[in-house]
Amino acid sequence: MADMFVVTEENRDDMSRKAGIFLYSETKLWLEDARVHRTDGPAIVSPDGVEHWYVRGTEVTRGVKALFSENKWPLAKGLDTDEKRARFAAQFLG
């Protein structure tokens, strides 16, 4: 299970290295086994609402957006149904 961390001035460099992108303070970041990872939503959420989806340290944001678009699901609702979670798992966690 991934643990959520909040990026601070003190840990920003370390967390940014783990994510492979610059992270601003107050960004929420989910890590599992020292890798950016989350299976029930975006693994990085910046203070301005920008979301990045990661699975086992690999960014899958474009693929997630394509999945939502193909199925005409509103991205803002996230993985809020069993059907969405199942399709996400089949495509990205398989």
Side-chain angles (χ1 to χ4, degrees):
M1 173 126 199
D3 294 314
M4 194 271 290
F5 297 88
V6 176
V7 176
T8 64
E9 290 295 321
E10 293 78 27
N11 69 12
R12 184 174 59 204
D13 289 342
D14 183 49
M15 296 298 177
S16 292
R17 276 192 292 281
K18 289 179 189 307
I21 60 174
F22 179 82
L23 299 175
Y24 294 95
S25 292
E26 303 303 316
T27 297
K28 294 178 184 173
L29 174 76
W30 281 259
L31 296 173
E32 182 176 279
D33 297 327
R35 295 185 296 183
V36 182
H37 175 79
R38 188 172 177 203
T39 59
D40 61 349
I44 298 174
V45 180
S46 67
D48 61 358
V50 174
E51 300 176 340
H52 297 271
W53 295 68
Y54 281 73
V55 173
R56 297 180 198 104
T58 301
E59 185 171 6
V60 295
T61 303
R62 286 184 185 194
V64 169
K65 287 182 178 180
L67 175 68
F68 274 70
S69 177
E70 290 164 9
N71 290 285
K72 297 181 178 29
W73 298 333
L75 190 58
K77 290 195 175 201
L79 299 173
D80 63 341
T81 67
D82 290 339
E83 177 190 8
K84 289 178 184 178
R85 287 186 290 275
R87 289 201 185 173
F88 177 86
Q91 185 162 344
F92 299 104
L93 303 175

